[in-house]
Amino acid sequence: MCCPLKLLLIPVLLDYSLGLNDFTVSSPELIVHVGDSALMGCVFQSAQEKRVIKVDWMLSPGNHAQDEYVLYYYSNLTVPMGRFQGRALLVGDILHNDGSLLLQNVQEADQGIYTCEIRLEKESLVFKKTVVLHVLPEEPKELVVHVGNSAVMGCVFQSTEEKHVTRVDWMFSAGEQAKEELVLRYHSKLKIPVGYPQNRGKFQNQGRFQSRVNLVGDISHNDGSIMLQEVKESDRGLYTCHIHLGSLVFKKTVVLHVIQEEPQVLVTPAALGPVILGGYELVIIVGIVCATIVLLPVLILIVKKTCGNKRSVDHTALVKSLENTKKADPEKHIYTSISTQETTEGEEPSGKSEAIYMTMNPVWPSPNKPLENQSVGGMPRTEKAF
């Protein structure tokens, strides 16, 4: 098996290195998403009926990277090269000078300039065509919609050539092992997709989607996108699109998730029920309780100390108030001083006076004593002080 491959590669590499005369056409651009497929056309229009003997596809990644072979056709044998094995297919009709390439499961590293070269039998002229491929990030293959809403599921086949779509099929499956049922079918001879009201009864196995699905894509641009209206919970599952371009089929799967619409309820105090706390709320509450338990003794000591200080201040204020009261209302005593100046008989006045001081205390009369021994008018008897 290795020897025939070597024999085939030798003329291919020799022809590529010789740099024969060529005829190059314009370079169309193609934009695809990661994971999708890209059809790059390469058709040589010639009035002469000459057989194609060789087709080469090469990629120039740019950024001074080395060119690499994608696929070549020689002696009725198609050989994809390197990392393109299993992904690159020669889908053109060689008998009609068509060397178109289908690149499946496009990767980000596939971006660059693709060059197609077609050589005819007994002809030195080489037909060349280049295609610029741009690769965008992968589109989401899962959709989430609410019950009652609409879902648009895209299915676009990117191609540089105006290929005629012969049929579009959309199939639904509730799971990988579940039985598939028809969602929508478009056929070029009918010009109208199955699923529209005017097509009821014309096709079998239309299923429950016939009045809720519409074809919204532009078939002339290989777009077979659909819209599913009034989505139900039973609509969740896998939706697979098949776009047929003659014998060529492009396939894409979309996963649809359906969730229940949350009703908007007016909340009143009477309607409030028990609240289920989440993880963060529970952690916060536990932390507050633990902090309260730890700080409770400290709070008790602070309260006791504050109350003791307050009582001491109140006691001091009460003592001072009593002292001030005593000072402001002293015990009342009557003090009387009488100064007299008498001259006794036989004594000459000496010019000095004798001071007699008496303390007067109230004396109540006694019934057994004569009045003469008692003070008159409450005043005590005076005694001289010598």
Side-chain angles (χ1 to χ4, degrees):
M1 183 66 182
C2 296
C3 293
L5 288 177
K6 290 182 179 178
L7 293 176
L8 290 172
L9 284 174
I10 291 174
V12 170
L13 297 176
L14 287 176
D15 288 345
Y16 183 62
S17 61
L18 289 177
L20 301 177
N21 296 329
D22 55 18
F23 172 71
T24 306
V25 298
S26 60
S27 303
E29 294 188 1
L30 198 60
I31 301 175
V32 298
H33 292 269
V34 172
D36 287 346
S37 298
L39 178 61
M40 292 173 276
C42 182
V43 181
F44 178 48
Q45 303 292 342
S46 175
Q48 299 178 356
E49 296 182 357
K50 291 186 177 182
R51 185 173 64 91
V52 174
I53 60 173
K54 192 169 183 298
V55 177
D56 294 325
W57 276 96
M58 290 152 289
L59 168 64
S60 299
N63 298 326
H64 305 288
Q66 186 177 2
D67 295 351
E68 53 182 324
Y69 258 100
V70 178
L71 176 146
Y72 74 87
Y73 167 85
Y74 184 78
S75 186
N76 296 325
L77 180 65
T78 302
V79 181
M81 303 294 292
R83 60 187 180 89
F84 297 98
Q85 293 183 14
R87 299 193 298 126
L89 299 175
L90 190 66
V91 295
D93 186 358
I94 298 297
L95 297 178
H96 293 83
N97 302 335
D98 187 353
S100 299
L101 172 71
L102 175 64
L103 183 59
Q104 298 176 320
N105 191 22
V106 175
Q107 305 298 317
E108 186 176 354
D110 296 339
Q111 180 169 282
I113 301 175
Y114 289 78
T115 303
C116 166
E117 295 182 358
I118 295 180
R119 291 179 174 86
L120 303 178
E121 185 180 19
K122 298 179 181 181
E123 186 71 49
S124 60
L125 183 65
V126 177
F127 171 78
K128 286 186 178 182
K129 183 177 182 179
T130 57
V131 178
V132 180
L133 181 66
H134 301 279
V135 182
L136 301 179
E138 185 176 6
E139 285 185 314
K141 294 184 178 180
E142 297 189 8
L143 296 178
V144 180
V145 297
H146 289 86
V147 173
N149 290 350
S150 299
V152 176
M153 289 172 276
C155 183
V156 182
F157 183 38
Q158 301 293 346
S159 173
T160 59
E161 303 297 320
E162 294 183 358
K163 296 289 184 178
H164 297 290
V165 176
T166 57
R167 197 176 78 184
V168 176
D169 291 333
W170 275 93
M171 307 299 293
F172 167 75
S173 174
E176 294 182 357
Q177 303 299 330
K179 183 180 179 180
E180 287 188 334
E181 52 183 306
L182 182 63
V183 177
L184 178 143
R185 172 172 292 166
Y186 169 87
H187 201 280
S188 59
K189 294 181 180 180
L190 299 174
K191 305 298 182 182
I192 311 172
V194 174
Y196 283 7
Q198 57 266 36
N199 288 322
R200 292 179 181 176
K202 292 185 179 181
F203 292 88
Q204 297 179 353
N205 197 24
Q206 295 182 30
R208 53 191 175 88
F209 299 98
Q210 59 180 357
S211 60
R212 297 188 295 123
V213 65
N214 293 324
L215 182 65
V216 295
D218 186 357
I219 295 297
S220 62
H221 291 83
N222 305 331
D223 188 351
S225 302
I226 62 171
M227 175 185 289
L228 180 61
Q229 300 174 332
E230 299 178 3
V231 175
K232 304 176 182 178
E233 290 188 10
S234 58
D235 294 338
R236 63 168 57 96
L238 305 177
Y239 291 79
T240 304
C241 166
H242 301 266
I243 295 182
H244 299 259
L245 294 87
S247 60
L248 183 63
V249 180
F250 170 73
K251 180 179 177 181
K252 183 176 182 180
T253 300
V254 178
V255 181
L256 181 64
H257 300 279
V258 182
I259 58 178
Q260 187 67 36
E261 184 73 27
E262 297 181 358
Q264 297 181 357
V265 181
L266 180 61
V267 179
T268 59
L272 292 176
V275 179
I276 300 176
L277 298 177
Y280 293 106
E281 292 83 354
L282 187 59
V283 170
I284 293 174
I285 292 177
V286 171
I288 293 174
V289 173
C290 294
T292 304
I293 294 174
V294 172
L295 297 177
L296 185 60
V298 179
L299 295 175
I300 293 175
L301 292 177
I302 294 174
V303 172
K304 286 184 177 181
K305 187 175 180 180
T306 304
C307 294
N309 294 338
K310 186 175 181 181
R311 290 177 182 176
S312 177
V313 171
D314 293 342
H315 179 71
T316 305
L318 181 60
V319 171
K320 289 183 178 181
S321 177
L322 292 175
E323 291 179 355
N324 293 335
T325 303
K326 290 181 179 181
K327 291 180 180 180
D329 190 16
E331 187 180 353
K332 295 181 180 181
H333 299 280
I334 301 175
Y335 296 94
T336 306
S337 61
I338 302 175
S339 296
T340 58
Q341 189 174 7
E342 297 180 356
T343 302
T344 56
E345 293 180 359
E347 292 182 355
E348 295 178 356
S350 59
K352 297 181 181 180
S353 62
E354 294 180 355
I356 299 175
Y357 300 91
M358 301 298 293
T359 301
M360 301 179 68
N361 293 319
V363 179
W364 301 100
S366 177
N368 298 326
K369 292 183 181 182
L371 296 174
E372 56 198 21
N373 294 329
Q374 300 179 1
S375 58
V376 179
M379 299 296 292
R381 299 173 62 186
T382 60
E383 295 181 0
K384 286 185 179 181
F386 296 97

